[in-house]
Amino acid sequence: MGIFIVYWIIVVLLFFIGIIQIIVKATKDQPVKPGLKLVIASVIMLVIGAGACAVILSNLNIGH
């Protein structure tokens, strides 16, 4: 259970760090590609994590 919490914390941190990087670098007229990579990675992790949670939760109801 603890690993799920750590996973979701990492996803949220990556997303917010990416957004902050995009904003800061856009105001300084620097390339925003590293920030975009972090945001895209966090969205992919979100989709994978949500899918894994759905599979785990659907397997819990099979025994009933």
Side-chain angles (χ1 to χ4, degrees):
M1 185 69 178
I3 195 153
F4 287 123
I5 295 169
V6 171
Y7 182 84
W8 290 114
I9 289 172
I10 291 171
V11 170
V12 170
L13 283 176
L14 282 177
F15 183 76
F16 283 121
I17 290 170
I19 293 293
I20 290 168
Q21 276 190 0
I22 290 171
I23 293 170
V24 169
K25 291 189 181 226
T27 57
K28 294 181 180 180
D29 290 329
Q30 295 176 348
V32 294
K33 194 171 184 179
L36 285 174
K37 285 182 181 180
L38 285 176
V39 171
I40 291 169
S42 68
V43 169
I44 291 170
M45 289 175 69
L46 174 75
V47 170
I48 292 171
C53 285
V55 168
I56 291 170
L57 289 175
S58 69
N59 285 335
L60 292 177
N61 293 329
I62 289 176
H64 292 266

